[in-house]
Amino acid sequence: WDIGAREELVGLVEGGRIRPGRAIDLGCGAGANAIYLAQRGFDVTGVDYAAAAIDKARARAGAAGVQVNFVVDDLTNLRHISGAFDFLVDYGTLDDLDLPQRDAYLRSLLPITRPGSQFLLWGFEYPVRWWERFVPFYDGPFYAGEVVQRFSPYFQIDKIGGEVDFSKWPPGYAVYLMTRG
């Protein structure tokens, strides 16, 4: 996961579809996406459950010469984040949660959005093969239609990328850009 700012994010920012504003990186890890946004004029908060990841992200932001507010918090029950954000980013966090946690994540996320907030969501999405159901540590990708079912009552949804290729592992992903109604 520590590969720098993700290509879809870079494309949206460089192309002008996402403009600087107040941004939050949900599950920021070592901070690559948050640092990238800060370098482009965003007021950025990065959130992760892992204190070690936040420590690493703070050090990287300092080395990059940018200010990012990094916070240790639980995305299924945000306690240290307030106010609304113009732009939300989640690269591979929501799909790591089990289904009840995904519901809690959405309940926690909605109060930090406002009408017009944009949300970039990247996650594994493909039909689960029979044997994957028996892998004990595997919570599973987004199921077909899950993102639309979960988010459409609150967001307009645009699927902007993805593929499924069962010759690879994991075999598929999807990228959504959603706008809060």
Side-chain angles (χ1 to χ4, degrees):
W1 289 109
D2 199 6
I3 60 173
R6 301 303 283 259
E7 71 176 90
E8 297 88 358
L9 174 64
V10 171
L12 290 167
V13 171
E14 301 295 326
R17 192 162 176 192
I18 302 296
R19 295 201 165 93
R22 188 167 187 237
I24 187 167
D25 186 355
L26 304 161
C28 66
N33 290 322
I35 292 166
Y36 169 81
L37 290 170
Q39 289 170 330
R40 273 128 191 101
F42 289 79
D43 174 12
V44 186
T45 298
V47 180
D48 204 285
Y49 188 74
I54 292 297
D55 290 342
K56 190 173 188 178
R58 284 183 180 134
R60 287 186 171 182
V66 294
Q67 176 63 40
V68 178
N69 177 33
F70 287 109
V71 178
V72 176
D73 209 344
D74 177 356
L75 296 176
T76 65
N77 183 24
L78 290 171
R79 295 176 313 275
H80 307 294
I81 303 298
S82 62
F85 290 85
D86 302 306
F87 182 52
L88 300 85
V89 178
D90 177 337
Y91 263 91
T93 301
L94 179 59
D95 64 340
D96 285 341
L97 303 176
D98 63 29
L99 294 178
Q101 289 173 317
R102 292 177 190 183
D103 293 337
Y105 171 105
L106 179 58
R107 284 191 305 272
S108 190
L109 175 96
L110 290 173
I112 63 169
T113 64
R114 59 163 179 72
S117 292
Q118 293 180 290
F119 180 24
L120 178 62
L121 175 65
W122 185 102
F124 294 119
E125 181 180 87
Y126 56 90
V128 174
R129 293 162 291 188
W130 70 268
W131 57 268
E132 291 169 330
R133 291 185 175 95
F134 300 103
V135 178
F137 57 85
Y138 181 68
D139 289 319
F142 297 137
Y143 58 80
E146 178 181 357
V147 171
V148 170
Q149 177 187 351
R150 197 172 292 285
F151 289 95
S152 65
Y154 314 99
F155 292 87
Q156 293 179 306
I157 301 171
D158 184 12
K159 186 174 182 180
I160 62 170
E163 69 175 23
V164 175
D165 180 350
F166 285 105
S167 70
K168 299 177 183 177
W169 180 257
Y173 72 95
V175 187
Y176 296 89
L177 182 61
M178 300 183 270
T179 305
R180 182 77 196 258

